[in-house]
Amino acid sequence: MHQHWFLFFLLIAVNLTTCVLAEPAKDESALPLIDARADYEGAMADRVAYLVEQGEALSFDEVQSLISTNPALLMRPQSGVLANGLNSDAIWLVANVSNSTDGPILRRVSVGTGWLERVDFYFLTDRQLLQQFVSGDRIALEQRAIAKRIPSADYRFPPGETRLLLRVETADPMVVPLYFSSIAVSHSREQFEAIFFSFIYGVMFALSTYNLMLFAGFRKRRYLFYSLYTAIFVVVTASYNGIGMALLWPDAVRWQQWAPPLFMLCFVSSGLAFATSFLKTRVRRPGLHKVIKTIGVAYFTFFGICFALDKQGLALQLAFLVVPVFTVLMLYMGVSSWMGGNQSARYFMLGTLASVIGAFVTALTVAGVISYSQLGYYALDIGMVVDAILLMLALADLARKNKEARVTAERTAQVDLLTGLNNRRGFLSVAESLWSLATRKGSNVCVAMIDIDHFKSINDQYGHAVGDRVLKKIADELEKSRRKGDVLARWGGEEFTLLLPETDEAEALSVAERFRRNIEQLEVNDCGRTIRCTISVGIASRHAQHVTLEHAISRADEELYQAKVQGRNQISTGRTSDAASATQTLLLSSEH
């Protein structure tokens, strides 16, 4: 934003440009001439001459005398915006305004910069002062010539020539976009700026509010810091462009002088706080983290000293000194984090780069190095919006990755790492829902407990590594043999459990028999040795409304015990009810 601190830092590097390009006026009769009938829509500082005070303030009469005796002191800017950089001496703008009509022409003269401390407007004819207006941050809003955020004065230029002089003074960067237009054109320009700032501030406040809500929900500090970062951007720019004084503190002149550097401090601090939290520098780059904290503490300390000594100009210089440090740190943290493998940092890096490029284009525009245009003038505003959106994408990307990691962790917590099947926790989370549904519908549902026969002897004879291979092979076969909709899990050790929805005991017996037969025929090869296994199965079903899944699993485990007692490689099924359970053991000798 043209009033934002990025601009001021870059202006330090280019503030001499207009002075170098300036041309001296030949004599007083060669003063620039402005046609009062013309309606200049853009900035037109290049249509006037200017004089720089050399350390001492000049009075109106002294300037008039200098113009008369030594007109070569007057310089001619080559751009519509005059920019002399930070902490410049006061300047005088001078031109003659010609009205070739028979009647007065009303025109508004304004300087479209909201942070200038004092702007005096002088209108005179035949060296006689006709009227003087005053404006600027040092003047309460109601005491200005026009109660607006930018210095302005309305004047009816009489027929003939009228001398126009403006004196501009500020400790902030001397940026003077001079406008000379009708009231209608001035209103149109103000309306455009109002729409533009409304869009910028609307985007920033929306992002700030959204992240504040995320912070309230997730309690992650990076959302709070980002919310402060975007909100304080609005505040610091509003304090510089005069919107803050116009809307919030119209009479607080001293506060207006100190608000910009103070808010710049808060903005830089919140930006670094967000960056360190987002990039986790406390853990990943502890040395850099300490440097950033030291810079923040030092800045606050020096600012407090400047405020105690009432050195506002020194506080501004200090603020603009910290700005390049802030920019370099942000870029460095983004690049180093991205190169270190943090893919979310690419949004952070690109966002910071967008704001820097925008600031650079705006600085070159107002300094006159490149041709003035509205796009160039507001490049920093656009860059900061891009920056904010990209940082929001960075947060969204980080949130997405955290969610994926959380889902993966939850999934891992419910999956047996060896077999890839559900573990007990994963099984129960699904089976309990299906059991409750079956209970409400009154439908059939069965539970089977499966155990590998003599599995301990396999571990003892071949080793646990081979035992794990056998277990994995059997788990794969069970998974392949189950019906779609059945829920299979490793219950623990060499035990598996199976939930069979919409299944009665006879059908469950058929499924279990297919399992038993397939495992019996399964072979596992180990270094030329063939390993065969069998399984025993116990089945229980739901026969009463209030029979719980836990009860059914317990009954199926009892039936599994019965199958083992009867000789293994068998299936035992019983009925689960309130009164008792009947156990039926199926000796499958005909299958052997």
Side-chain angles (χ1 to χ4, degrees), residues 152-353:
S152 305
D154 293 342
Y155 185 73
R156 294 183 181 276
F157 290 89
E161 283 195 1
T162 302
R163 176 71 55 82
L164 167 65
L165 290 98
L166 283 79
R167 182 181 184 274
V168 183
E169 178 184 0
T170 185
D172 294 278
M174 183 69 74
V175 181
V176 185
L178 180 65
Y179 294 97
F180 184 95
S181 61
S182 65
I183 305 299
V185 170
S186 178
H187 284 168
S188 177
R189 185 166 55 249
E190 292 172 0
Q191 186 177 34
F192 168 80
E193 291 181 344
I195 294 173
F196 182 79
F197 286 128
S198 296
F199 169 74
I200 297 295
Y201 291 172
V203 170
M204 292 299 186
F205 270 127
L207 292 176
S208 178
T209 303
Y210 176 67
N211 279 273
L212 194 60
M213 294 171 62
L214 290 178
F215 170 72
F218 296 111
R219 296 296 177 182
K220 298 291 186 181
R221 288 189 299 174
R222 58 177 174 266
Y223 295 114
L224 175 62
F225 292 145
Y226 183 75
S227 178
L228 292 174
Y229 178 69
T230 51
I232 296 176
F233 170 78
V234 174
V235 176
V236 72
T237 54
S239 68
Y240 256 115
N241 63 27
I243 293 177
M245 189 171 187
L247 298 179
L248 302 176
W249 52 84
D251 299 321
V253 176
R254 178 172 170 78
W255 168 248
Q256 176 61 21
Q257 304 303 306
W258 286 96
L262 175 60
F263 288 140
M264 286 171 65
L265 163 64
C266 297
F267 180 79
V268 169
S269 300
S270 62
L272 289 176
F274 166 71
T276 54
S277 176
F278 177 79
L279 300 175
K280 300 180 179 178
T281 57
R282 182 189 297 274
V283 176
R284 297 176 178 175
R285 301 294 299 274
L288 178 62
H289 190 82
K290 291 180 180 178
V291 170
I292 293 173
K293 288 181 65 177
T294 301
I295 291 174
V297 172
Y299 185 89
F300 272 106
T301 302
F302 287 130
F303 180 85
I305 294 173
C306 293
F307 183 79
L309 298 176
D310 197 23
K311 299 292 185 180
Q312 187 239 352
L314 184 59
L316 284 169
Q317 293 181 27
L318 179 64
F320 300 146
L321 178 63
V322 172
V323 165
V325 177
F326 167 73
T327 305
V328 171
L329 282 174
M330 293 283 278
L331 284 173
Y332 174 73
M333 286 190 292
V335 172
S336 61
S337 182
W338 180 49
M339 294 181 65
N342 184 357
Q343 293 301 311
S344 297
R346 67 187 184 275
Y347 296 112
F348 180 92
M349 180 184 63
L350 292 175
T352 303
L353 191 62

Side-chain angles (χ1 to χ4, degrees), residues 337-583:
S337 182
W338 180 49
M339 294 181 65
N342 184 357
Q343 293 301 311
S344 297
R346 67 187 184 275
Y347 296 112
F348 180 92
M349 180 184 63
L350 292 175
T352 303
L353 191 62
S355 62
V356 172
I357 293 174
F360 191 70
V361 172
T362 299
L364 294 179
T365 299
V366 300
V369 178
I370 60 178
S371 300
Y372 180 87
S373 66
Q374 289 282 9
L375 181 61
Y377 195 58
Y378 292 111
L380 180 53
D381 303 77
I382 298 171
M384 280 303 299
V385 170
V386 173
D387 181 21
I389 292 175
L390 287 174
L391 289 181
M392 188 65 233
L393 289 176
L395 284 172
D397 185 62
L398 186 61
R400 177 184 61 81
K401 290 181 177 179
N402 288 340
K403 182 179 179 181
E404 290 177 354
R406 188 166 55 252
V407 170
T408 301
E410 291 175 354
R411 176 62 181 162
T412 301
Q414 296 180 350
V415 173
D416 178 64
L417 296 181
L418 175 63
T419 63
L421 300 178
N422 287 324
N423 58 20
R424 183 178 302 202
R425 178 181 176 183
F427 173 80
L428 291 176
S429 65
V430 177
E432 286 174 350
S433 297
L434 294 175
W435 190 271
S436 298
L437 179 63
T439 300
R440 289 195 302 270
K441 293 172 58 177
S443 57
N444 293 321
V445 60
C446 290
V447 176
M449 294 296 294
I450 305 168
D451 185 82
I452 304 175
D453 297 330
H454 303 294
F455 185 74
K456 183 178 183 301
S457 63
I458 296 177
N459 281 332
D460 294 341
Q461 182 177 354
Y462 300 100
H464 287 279
V466 175
D468 287 346
R469 285 182 51 206
V470 171
L471 194 63
K472 178 68 169 60
K473 192 78 171 179
I474 291 175
D476 292 342
E477 183 62 36
L478 293 176
E479 174 67 14
K480 184 171 65 174
S481 300
R482 74 174 178 87
R483 303 174 307 174
K484 184 177 181 180
D486 292 346
V487 182
L488 178 66
R490 182 183 179 189
W491 193 247
E494 65 272 21
E495 282 192 331
F496 299 86
T497 184
L498 180 71
L499 183 77
L500 302 101
E502 304 291 337
T503 303
D504 58 20
E505 289 183 357
E507 191 174 0
L509 179 61
S510 175
V511 172
E513 170 57 16
R514 183 171 69 251
F515 278 21
R516 189 202 64 77
R517 186 171 57 251
N518 291 345
I519 298 301
E520 186 180 38
Q521 297 172 358
L522 185 67
E523 295 182 352
V524 179
N525 294 317
D526 177 63
C527 299
R529 296 173 296 183
T530 300
I531 303 172
R532 296 177 180 274
C533 297
T534 60
I535 59 174
S536 299
V537 183
I539 298 175
S541 63
R542 186 195 68 82
H543 289 287
Q545 285 293 108
H546 57 275
V547 172
T548 65
L549 174 62
E550 182 181 4
H551 185 199
I553 292 175
S554 178
R555 291 292 303 135
D557 199 49
E558 292 177 8
E559 296 301 326
L560 173 62
Y561 177 75
Q562 290 297 323
K564 286 182 171 293
V565 167
Q566 297 296 329
R568 294 182 172 81
N569 195 20
Q570 299 180 23
I571 303 170
S572 176
T573 180
R575 178 180 298 273
T576 303
S577 63
D578 296 329
S581 62
T583 303

